[in-house]
Amino acid sequence: MLDVGCGTGQLLRRARAEGHRGRLMGLDPAAAMLVQARAARPDVEWVLGDTRVRRWGAGFDLVVMTGHAFQALVGDEEIRCCLRAVREALRPGGRFVFEVGNPAARAWERWTPERTHETVAADGTPVRVTHEVLDGGPRDGRVRFTEAYDSDRWPAPRVSRGVLRFLDPGSLAGFLAAAGFAVVEQYGDWDGRPPAAAAPEIITVATPAP
């Protein structure tokens, strides 16, 4: 199993903890994330980089991209490059599983500074997280936003900028077909509901086409 954009490796760490004894590899371009992953599970392969510079020859039964990592591919060629690499990494009959936010659900309209959620940093510090959309909303399907992290223990908030691309079902299907993938299943949310116009997600299970 290959996790592209694995972050701190929570998915693979859980897979190993629950008994997975096969090959597990996490790929991420953020070295700091992989430091945490390695410290937690040294028995998983953690690789620094992305699909533009890393290649595997049909070595995996399953490739996943979670946490809307696929939406961080904002350019057409970035998407094509990633899909080519994933297809090359999969064995015949393997599966590529990923999700994108459904643009029809307009999730970005709820990314406002008034909506705060809380999390905990790696050192146990309670952190408040807020988002704010820039440029008034999506442009060419791309939403630019800030993500702010704040804590009573910090002297000032930590703010980062990001861009996510929202692909409509037709565009997504076109990229997959052009890369040689066939869609096996799709869902509208993590509860297994079917795709729908107002469903929050487009969760896709694809396989290399014969």
Side-chain angles (χ1 to χ4, degrees):
M1 175 180 172
L2 170 64
D3 185 356
V4 177
C6 65
T8 58
Q10 292 187 33
L11 179 63
L12 297 183
R13 287 155 55 183
R14 180 172 177 178
R16 187 67 88 205
E18 294 190 3
H20 193 294
R21 293 292 170 255
R23 185 185 187 190
L24 296 176
M25 177 182 289
L27 175 70
D28 201 276
M33 294 282 194
L34 295 181
V35 168
Q36 296 183 47
R38 288 191 186 99
R41 292 299 315 199
D43 56 349
V44 172
E45 297 176 62
W46 306 108
V47 179
L48 181 66
D50 58 36
T51 55
R52 293 173 298 179
V53 297
R54 298 286 183 174
R55 290 290 188 273
W56 300 270
F60 296 95
D61 301 299
L62 175 64
V63 177
V64 299
M65 293 183 75
T66 62
H68 299 103
F70 193 85
Q71 289 184 254
L73 306 171
V74 297
D76 287 3
E77 188 52 36
E78 286 181 273
I79 293 173
R80 295 187 189 105
C81 178
C82 178
L83 291 174
R84 284 195 299 267
V86 169
R87 195 180 193 285
E88 291 171 6
L90 284 170
R91 292 172 178 158
R95 295 290 189 266
F96 176 38
V97 182
F98 67 101
E99 92 281 38
V100 298
N102 182 2
R106 304 182 65 84
W108 58 84
E109 293 180 347
R110 298 183 290 279
W111 299 351
T112 64
E114 294 75 27
R115 294 175 64 93
T116 302
H117 74 270
E118 296 188 358
T119 187
V120 179
D123 62 359
T125 301
V127 178
R128 296 179 295 274
V129 185
T130 58
H131 297 86
E132 184 171 6
V133 173
L134 306 175
D135 302 328
R139 295 189 177 184
D140 298 323
R142 297 160 179 83
V143 176
R144 292 164 175 79
F145 63 95
T146 60
E147 189 170 42
Y149 301 84
D150 193 15
S151 174
D152 296 335
R153 301 181 187 177
W154 296 345
R158 304 172 186 181
V159 180
S160 64
R161 290 174 175 259
V163 184
L164 291 178
R165 183 170 181 178
F166 285 80
L167 290 168
D168 62 78
S171 298
L172 179 59
F175 278 115
L176 288 168
F181 280 99
V183 173
V184 178
E185 296 176 283
Q186 279 189 322
Y187 305 96
D189 206 349
W190 295 106
D191 58 8
R193 74 181 71 174
E201 306 284 355
I202 304 173
I203 302 166
T204 300
V205 181
T207 191

